[in-house]
Amino acid sequence: MKQILHASVWRIRDFRRLAVGRSVAAAGAGMVLIVQLLRLTAQGAGSGRIMVLLLAEVVPAILCAGPIGRAADHRDSRGVLTVGIAAQVAACLVLATVPGFALTCAAIALLSVGTSLVAPVWSVLVPIVVGEGRVGAAVGAQQALTAALAPVGAGAGGVLYSSVGGGGAMLVAAGCYLYLAVVALRLKVRRRALAAEAIGPGLRQLLMPDLGAVRRDRLLWCLLSCMVPLVVVLQGLNVLEVSLARHDIGVSAAQFGCSEIAAGVGTVAGAALAGRIARDRTRAWAMLTGLSAAAAALGVLGVATTVIAYFGLLVVVGAGVGVSNTSFGALFIIRTPSELRGRVSAAVNGLMQTSSTAAIALGGLLGVLLGVRPAFMVSGVAGLAVLAIGAAVLARTSTENVPQPVADVPLPVRAP
């Protein structure tokens, strides 16, 4: 038992700071989104404006993936974190003034850019802080903590909006990001700024996301090629979930509000379990298994008739997503050369955001063409078909010939 505690990533002070800071910031992000959706609903905004708001959140992450990834790789980590968090805080302060719709979308876009700047630095710093051998445990611990706090942020956003108004809620969200700023300044290790390439990239190479390192790794490319169509097929069901729960299953408003908690419980358990995996091939199969469980549970949701079944299936979906995200997150950090981790992280995030955007449109279309329940069943079956193809390819994919990462040299700073 003492050996387990001694080896725990939670014993590392910088990891504790990073994990808690990122999770608190994730709670702030959930607070922002809920408050803005509630504000638009109260103003009588239609689905068109809500769609524009959601696009304002995802489009900047897609368009800026290339330069953001290179900044994470070539600039000092503290400087990148400072700029990204400053953008997040500024966006929250603008939203606290209860601006008009156009300025609200601009502030959400600025928040998205700041979040996109911060996220790749996490991928860069984790191996420096915990060591290459404990990346899997670190990713699992981070995913579990974020899954626990993110629903709390969303719930707190609703409560604050009702009690103190949207402006006060946005000031609390800004405080969440300021806490992350304190964490960034207190870190004892930093990623050194890497020298620029001898021949600078052209404009196209500078702006485009860099997935070259992923394509060169057969295992990562196999998994990413499987995940993208799966996100398109399954994530669009989020658009239809409220209709399924409220109208078809008969879930009350309060119970629907607790649905995020049920999914969060599953995600925490799945992430903690996946964080114990040590081998790359085992992680790959765990990812496909987790996604298969999630796809199957979503398909079964299409025929669920009781509230108990609804919550139970959400726990299964959350657990599958937790296993999948933790396994893939650890794989792409471990198997990507250290000097490319920032741009790969930004590129993968941009690709997932693109898939999510397509999923929103597909989910709405399936709901119109098939109806809510059939859309869940068809999407679940389609997801399982994609995963079956992915499993067949993975069985013949080698895990060898991984480029060896270049060692990072952390820059120690004096403790404050």
Side-chain angles (χ1 to χ4, degrees), residues 90-102:
C92 289
L93 293 179
V94 171
L95 292 171
T97 66
V98 194
F101 181 69

Side-chain angles (χ1 to χ4, degrees), residues 27-46:
M31 195 179 301
V32 170
L33 184 59
I34 287 295
V35 169
Q36 297 314 309
L37 291 175
L38 289 172
R39 179 184 288 171
L40 286 179
T41 302
Q43 294 171 352

Side-chain angles (χ1 to χ4, degrees), residues 233-326:
V233 169
L234 295 182
Q235 196 162 327
L237 296 177
N238 290 338
V239 178
L240 306 176
E241 184 190 353
V242 62
S243 179
L244 175 74
R246 299 281 283 127
H247 302 302
D248 293 282
I249 299 178
V251 174
S252 69
Q255 289 169 333
F256 183 71
C258 294
S259 63
E260 288 292 326
I261 298 176
V265 168
T267 304
V268 169
L273 181 64
R276 293 174 167 270
I277 301 174
R279 297 178 62 238
D280 286 356
R281 181 163 287 277
T282 305
R283 287 192 180 100
W285 282 111
M287 173 185 158
L288 293 188
T289 302
L291 290 174
S292 298
L298 287 170
V300 175
L301 264 177
V303 297
T305 57
T306 66
V307 175
I308 293 177
Y310 172 70
F311 278 99
L313 289 168
L314 285 183
V315 172
V316 175
V317 172
V321 170
V323 169
S324 170
N325 288 347
T326 300

Side-chain angles (χ1 to χ4, degrees), residues 12-402:
I12 303 172
R13 179 179 298 177
D14 270 354
F15 175 75
R16 292 197 303 271
R17 289 171 173 169
L18 271 176
V20 174
R22 274 178 54 87
S23 297
V24 170
M31 195 179 301
V32 170
L33 184 59
I34 287 295
V35 169
Q36 297 314 309
L37 291 175
L38 289 172
R39 179 184 288 171
L40 286 179
T41 302
Q43 294 171 352
S47 58
R49 284 204 165 193
I50 293 176
M51 182 70 70
V52 171
L53 182 72
L54 295 175
L55 288 175
E57 181 185 19
V58 300
V59 169
I62 299 170
L63 298 180
C64 298
I68 282 174
R70 285 174 173 82
D73 281 332
H74 292 290
R75 304 296 179 185
D76 181 86
S77 60
R78 178 175 292 178
V80 177
L81 286 174
T82 301
V83 173
I85 297 169
Q88 293 171 319
V89 173
C92 289
L93 293 179
V94 171
L95 292 171
T97 66
V98 194
F101 181 69
L103 189 54
T104 294
C105 290
I108 291 294
L110 178 62
L111 181 67
S112 176
V113 171
T115 302
S116 299
L117 268 171
V118 172
V121 180
W122 160 256
S123 302
V124 168
L125 287 180
V126 165
I128 303 175
V129 172
V130 304
E132 296 282 346
R134 290 191 283 187
V135 167
V139 173
Q142 172 66 74
Q143 290 278 352
L145 186 59
T146 299
L149 290 185
V152 174
V159 172
L160 289 170
Y161 179 81
S162 300
S163 58
V164 300
M170 289 302 92
L171 292 178
V172 175
C176 293
Y177 291 117
L178 284 173
Y179 176 77
L180 183 59
V182 173
V183 167
L185 293 175
R186 288 175 61 86
L187 290 178
K188 290 187 176 181
V189 295
R190 294 155 63 178
R191 165 70 178 262
R192 61 185 174 85
L194 298 180
E197 290 104 344
I199 301 177
L203 180 61
R204 183 175 182 275
Q205 289 74 20
L206 179 66
L207 296 178
M208 291 296 292
D210 188 354
L211 287 170
V214 179
R215 286 198 301 268
R216 288 189 292 271
D217 189 304
R218 294 179 180 178
L219 182 64
L220 288 180
W221 190 242
C222 167
L223 296 175
L224 189 61
S225 300
C226 184
M227 181 178 285
V228 169
L230 197 71
V231 168
V232 174
V233 169
L234 295 182
Q235 196 162 327
L237 296 177
N238 290 338
V239 178
L240 306 176
E241 184 190 353
V242 62
S243 179
L244 175 74
R246 299 281 283 127
H247 302 302
D248 293 282
I249 299 178
V251 174
S252 69
Q255 289 169 333
F256 183 71
C258 294
S259 63
E260 288 292 326
I261 298 176
V265 168
T267 304
V268 169
L273 181 64
R276 293 174 167 270
I277 301 174
R279 297 178 62 238
D280 286 356
R281 181 163 287 277
T282 305
R283 287 192 180 100
W285 282 111
M287 173 185 158
L288 293 188
T289 302
L291 290 174
S292 298
L298 287 170
V300 175
L301 264 177
V303 297
T305 57
T306 66
V307 175
I308 293 177
Y310 172 70
F311 278 99
L313 289 168
L314 285 183
V315 172
V316 175
V317 172
V321 170
V323 169
S324 170
N325 288 347
T326 300
S327 299
F328 185 72
L331 279 172
F332 94 75
I333 291 177
I334 293 171
R335 296 176 67 88
T336 301
S338 63
E339 71 273 14
L340 299 177
R341 281 174 178 151
R343 68 189 73 176
V344 168
S345 174
V348 170
N349 180 55
L351 188 60
M352 291 298 104
Q353 296 285 12
T354 304
S355 304
S356 298
T357 304
I360 293 172
L362 180 61
L365 182 63
L366 287 176
V368 172
L369 296 179
L370 303 178
V372 175
R373 284 190 180 275
F376 271 82
M377 291 185 284
V378 169
S379 296
V381 172
L384 289 174
V386 170
L387 288 163
I389 296 172
V393 175
L394 178 60
R396 298 192 298 270
T397 300
S398 171
T399 61
E400 304 300 326
N401 301 321
V402 181

